[in-house]
């Protein structure tokens, strides 16, 4: 196994007990410098201290020195914010403003492993792009402890800073600890990445796209790999790591199929950003991200998972070839569990102010709007769940819906009204205004036909999802008139060996139905692989 692949498995796939072992065996010393000042962000300072202390118990090569911001060391190291954490400052130029708590704990653990082993784990493609960068890059990644996408982007940046320490510096900025800096950069959604103060990415990117954006100094959305880096052979390649894909991974592997799951973004799909799930059997109330973590750990017992890797092309045949941004997979069957992506309103100002007050993820960006006034647009389960979440974290939220009744489940609607969250019905948002951040929305009240305006700091949009069918379309999979994948009762598409499951098929779009479809598809694939339907005679 190439060294960088072994690092991927170190950081991504080892059990907790193994992580301790990996920490213990770390060959290189890492010095952490923590700068704090009493009375300034005490909770974050204590969070950082506690985390580092618990890591030091299992990682003897990690040492911590703490200084007051008034100490001359703070001056020498240019630290003027509490808390500021410098990671191995003799070797790298990496600083953390805030504390690596919540989701960011994952980034921190990964950072220590990368530095302790001095191995970035970058793909061949990423290393190539990184080596081409010929002038300095000062990266800033804005993150939040509640954002499940953020670690992916922060780790991309870390790998760049560790891979080219002579020209790349990195600041990871926690927007909850340092709202002033977020304000200065108008970073009102996370993750958001700047290089030399130029915005180069909104959201989390696959590693190669991040490196390409860093090289070109503007957000890249498509990445064409230069060569096939490596080859992985499997029985089943599952595209998409949401509930459908993860469940399929478990079922297929339990049937004896060597299965891999490839996910370009955050594992768990939409569930990862659902604040609270109340209808998944076995859990009366569970955070969406917690449920995802449980599912991922379970799936890892059976299948290999390749996160942050984008499938670029699928070539049908025997075997089927799946090209990703990093390698080539060959498989007997492919399951498309690509899920759905959020819908946009399509009104003036929405795209321009995205990340500047317009948000599609209340769990990620909600904390930035504490005490501020926002609207949430939509009348379905998502809009109501997210309105409740925003309300509970202290955001002044009003729900705006285009019809006179909500589509959301009765139970959720009842909670909404009991929480006394203002609801404006029969009203459509027509425009979102603001220079460099959201200032107001222009709406149309249907019954009166009158337009109005509302001064707001943020607009959260939760108006449903569209199936992610780009890949299916590219490979020639038939779609329904509504745009979902057409499949038979055994989840077979029109292309032999290619199947589908989950929200990309349409239907009820519940976590439990996606998981059910994933299990059905995996069992159907298993049966077909033993006795391929495309080879069977009509009479069989
Ligand atoms: P949804 O059920 O499709 O609802 C979308 C809402 O947005 C509808 O109220 C719709 O209005 C409105 N809308 C659509 N396009 C619009 C536009 N251009 N302008 C203004 N409003 C627009 O989507 P969802 O709430 O995201 O839920 C998706 C699926 O996930 C559903 O099956 C849902 O049950 C499930 N889900 C479940 C939970 C839970 O169980 N707790 C939580 C989240 C999601 P109309 O009503 O007028 O069509």
């Amino acid at each position: 196994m190439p060294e960088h692949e072994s690092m991927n498995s170190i950081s991504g796939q080892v059990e907790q007990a193994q992580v301790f072992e990996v920490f213990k065996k770390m060959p290189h010393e890492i010095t952490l410098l923590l700068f704090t000042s009493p009375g300034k962000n005490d909770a974050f300072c204590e969070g950082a201290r506690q985390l580092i202390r618990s890591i030091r118990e299992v990682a003897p090569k990690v040492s911590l020195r703490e200084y007051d911001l008034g100490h001359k060391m703070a001056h020498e190291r240019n630290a003027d914010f509490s808390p500021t954490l410098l990671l191995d400052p003799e070797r790298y130029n990496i600083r953390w403003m805030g504390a690596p708590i919540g989701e960011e704990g994952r980034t921190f653990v990964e950072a220590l492993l990368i530095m302790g082993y001095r191995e970035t784990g970058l793909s061949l493609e990423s290393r190539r792009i990184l080596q081409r960068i010929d002038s300095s890059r000062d990266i800033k990644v804005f993150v939040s402890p509640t954002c499940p996408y953020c670690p992916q982007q922060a780790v991309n940046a870390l790998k760049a800073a560790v891979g080219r320490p002579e020209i790349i510096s990195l600041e990871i900025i926690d927007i909850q600890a340092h709202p002033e800096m977020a304000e200065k950069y108008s970073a009102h959604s996370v993750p958001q990445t700047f290089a030399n103060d130029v915005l180069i990415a909104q959201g989390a990117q696959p590693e190669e796209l991040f490196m390409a954006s860093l090289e070109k100094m503007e957000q890249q959305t498509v990445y064409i790999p230069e060569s096939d880096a490596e080859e992985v052979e499997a029985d089943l390649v599952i595209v998409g790591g949401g509930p459908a894909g993860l469940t399929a991974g478990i079922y297929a592997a339990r049937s004896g199929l060597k299965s891999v799951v490839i996910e370009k973004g955050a594992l768990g799909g939409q569930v990862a950003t659902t604040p609270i799930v109340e209808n998944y059997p076995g859990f009366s109330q569970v955070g969406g991200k917690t449920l995802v973590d449980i599912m991922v750990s379970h799936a890892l017992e059976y299948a290999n998972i390749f996160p942050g890797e984008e499938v670029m092309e699928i070539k049908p045949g025997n075997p089927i070839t799946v090209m990703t941004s990093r390698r080539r997979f060959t498989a007997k069957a492919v399951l498309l569990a690509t899920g759905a992506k959020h819908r946009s309103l399509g009104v003036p100002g929405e795209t321009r102010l995205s990340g500047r007050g317009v948000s599609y993820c209340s769990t990620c960006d909600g904390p930035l709007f504490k005490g501020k006034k926002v609207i949430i647009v939509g009348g379905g389960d998502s809009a109501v769940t997210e309105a409740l979440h925003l309300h509970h974290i202290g955001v002044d939220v009003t729900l705006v819906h285009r019809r006179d009744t909500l589509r959301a489940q009765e139970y959720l609607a009842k909670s909404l009204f009991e929480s006394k969250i203002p609801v404006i019905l029969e009203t459509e948002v027509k425009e979102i205004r603001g220079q460099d951040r959201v200032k107001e929305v222009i709406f149309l009240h249907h019954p009166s036909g009158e337009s109005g305006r509302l001064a707001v700091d943020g607009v959260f949009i939760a108006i449903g999802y569209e199936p992610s069918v780009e890949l299916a379309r590219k490979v020639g999979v038939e779609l329904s008139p509504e745009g979902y994948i057409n499949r038979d009762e055994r989840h077979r598409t029109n292309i032999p060996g290619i199947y589908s499951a989950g929200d990309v098929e349409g239907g009820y779009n519940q976590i439990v139905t996606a998981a059910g479809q994933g299990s059905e598809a995996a069992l159907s694939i298993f049966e077909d692989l033993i006795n391929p339907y495309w080879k069977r005679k009509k009479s069989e």
Side-chain angles (χ1 to χ4, degrees):
M1 189 169 12
E3 217 181 340
H4 68 272
E5 178 132 320
S6 78
M7 264 315 290
N8 273 344
S9 57
I10 285 170
S11 52
Q13 307 207 4
V14 283
E15 296 290 330
Q16 205 171 3
Q18 288 169 282
V19 171
F20 294 163
E21 271 313 294
V22 173
F23 265 133
K24 267 194 200 132
K25 288 185 188 148
M26 234 159 50
H28 300 287
E29 306 272 341
I30 302 172
T31 306
L32 303 174
L33 301 189
L34 178 64
F35 297 93
T36 58
S37 183
K40 289 189 182 152
N41 270 334
D42 287 342
F44 287 94
C45 299
E46 193 45 35
R49 262 181 224 118
Q50 275 181 16
L51 180 75
I52 297 168
R53 257 185 230 135
S54 56
I55 284 179
R56 288 191 59 217
E57 280 171 22
V58 292
K61 291 270 167 70
V62 175
S63 62
L64 171 70
R65 280 186 277 149
E66 186 171 347
Y67 299 93
D68 188 272
L69 274 187
H71 193 277
K72 72 175 183 352
M73 181 64 96
H75 184 68
E76 278 168 26
R77 297 286 180 180
N78 216 6
D80 57 5
F81 176 80
S82 171
T84 295
L85 183 62
L86 303 188
L87 281 68
D88 212 354
E90 297 307 328
R91 184 166 271 271
Y92 306 111
N93 202 340
I94 301 173
R95 69 177 52 206
W96 206 303
M97 297 163 96
I101 49 179
E103 293 294 329
E104 284 311 305
R106 290 196 278 140
T107 309
F108 188 58
V109 166
E110 188 120 14
L112 295 180
L113 293 173
I114 288 169
M115 292 187 294
Y117 281 85
R118 299 218 180 128
E119 170 56 60
T120 60
L122 283 168
S123 72
L124 197 64
E125 286 296 300
S126 299
R127 271 183 277 169
R128 247 185 227 145
I129 307 169
L130 194 59
Q131 284 312 319
R132 283 204 301 260
I133 298 178
D134 57 6
S135 56
S136 66
R137 299 283 190 277
D138 299 320
I139 309 174
K140 283 188 175 59
V141 184
F142 288 89
V143 300
S144 150
T146 52
C147 162
Y149 302 114
C150 291
Q152 183 176 333
Q153 189 72 348
V155 168
N156 284 339
L158 259 162
K159 289 179 174 177
V162 170
R164 297 291 308 276
E166 72 286 10
I167 54 167
I168 298 181
S169 70
L170 168 65
E171 283 175 317
I172 298 175
I173 301 151
D174 178 338
I175 56 164
Q176 294 191 37
H178 206 337
E180 304 80 16
M181 185 75 104
E183 196 60 43
K184 186 172 163 202
Y185 282 80
S186 296
H188 295 130
S189 79
V190 285
Q192 220 170 120
T193 311
F194 294 79
N196 302 350
D197 290 345
V198 174
L199 179 66
I200 61 160
Q202 281 197 45
Q205 298 172 296
E207 186 186 284
E208 294 77 8
L209 268 184
F210 170 84
M211 297 301 162
S213 305
L214 188 61
E215 182 195 14
K216 302 260 184 330
M217 291 293 285
E218 62 179 33
Q219 175 144 354
Q220 304 295 301
T221 49
V222 184
Y223 174 71
I224 313 289
E226 285 173 19
S227 73
D228 318 341
E230 294 156 44
E231 190 135 348
V232 176
E233 224 181 279
D235 294 315
L236 172 63
V237 166
I238 299 162
V239 188
L246 294 171
T247 309
I250 295 170
Y251 270 77
R254 286 177 63 86
S255 301
L257 301 182
K258 185 183 173 202
S259 308
V260 301
V261 179
I262 306 170
E263 167 60 58
K264 73 170 172 179
L267 287 165
Q270 297 156 41
V271 189
T273 55
T274 301
I276 295 285
V277 175
E278 295 182 330
N279 51 10
Y280 192 77
F283 298 88
S284 49
Q285 262 209 349
V286 59
K289 186 59 188 21
T290 306
L291 184 58
V292 167
D293 289 344
I294 295 169
M295 283 186 186
V296 171
S297 322
H298 190 183
L300 277 173
E301 289 175 23
Y302 295 99
N304 267 320
I305 299 182
F306 294 83
E309 191 160 329
E310 187 168 9
V311 173
M312 320 298 293
E313 197 180 357
I314 298 174
K315 290 185 193 145
N318 190 13
I320 302 171
T321 307
V322 177
M323 296 292 305
T324 73
S325 49
R326 295 198 200 156
R327 65 200 109 218
R328 180 213 302 265
F329 292 81
T330 53
K332 295 174 187 150
V334 168
L335 176 65
L336 297 174
T338 44
K341 52 181 180 297
H342 66 74
R343 217 179 260 151
S344 313
L345 274 175
V347 298
E350 180 181 10
T351 309
R352 185 175 57 81
L353 292 165
S354 174
R356 302 276 176 274
V358 172
S359 170
Y360 302 86
C361 178
S362 68
T363 29
C364 309
D365 306 329
L368 259 177
F369 294 86
K370 222 175 264 179
K372 295 188 175 170
K373 191 169 175 55
V374 308
I375 58 163
I376 183 144
V377 186
D381 290 339
S382 300
V384 175
T385 307
E386 295 188 23
L388 287 165
H389 170 67
L390 291 168
H391 174 75
H392 288 308
I393 62 170
V395 178
D396 176 2
V397 58
T398 299
L399 185 137
V400 178
H401 179 40
R402 65 182 176 184
R403 281 191 306 128
D404 61 351
T405 47
L406 296 176
R407 178 191 288 269
Q409 296 163 38
E410 189 64 32
Y411 185 83
L412 285 171
K414 195 163 157 261
S415 304
L416 181 81
F417 294 119
E418 282 172 3
S419 299
K420 301 202 166 41
I421 294 171
V423 175
I424 304 178
L425 294 173
E426 298 181 88
T427 297
E428 232 176 292
V429 172
K430 287 293 185 191
E431 189 179 347
I432 304 169
R433 287 188 179 166
Q435 196 81 52
D436 50 11
R437 53 171 304 171
V438 169
K439 285 275 184 256
E440 64 174 8
V441 285
I442 304 298
F443 57 80
L444 175 69
H445 181 236
H446 283 301
S448 63
E450 281 175 11
S451 293
R453 59 180 61 198
L454 191 66
V456 289
D457 301 299
V459 178
F460 285 83
I461 298 169
I463 58 167
Y465 296 89
E466 291 167 353
S468 297
V469 288
E470 297 78 10
L471 209 52
R473 197 178 274 133
K474 206 164 148 192
V475 69
V477 165
E478 271 173 23
L479 304 180
S480 69
E482 296 76 34
Y484 296 99
I485 289 183
N486 252 346
R487 50 91 170 181
D488 69 10
E489 73 287 354
R490 297 184 65 84
H491 297 270
R492 298 165 180 153
T493 70
N494 58 309
I495 299 184
I498 299 188
Y499 299 73
S500 64
D503 287 2
V504 75
E505 298 184 326
Y508 285 110
N509 301 119
Q510 301 294 304
I511 307 169
V512 71
T513 53
Q517 288 161 350
S519 67
E520 279 179 8
L523 294 172
S524 159
I525 291 166
F526 169 68
E527 286 166 12
D528 283 348
L529 289 185
I530 324 176
N531 185 14
Y533 67 91
W534 54 91
K535 286 190 184 164
R536 271 180 243 158
K537 293 199 192 91
K538 280 251 170 351
S539 55
E540 272 185 72

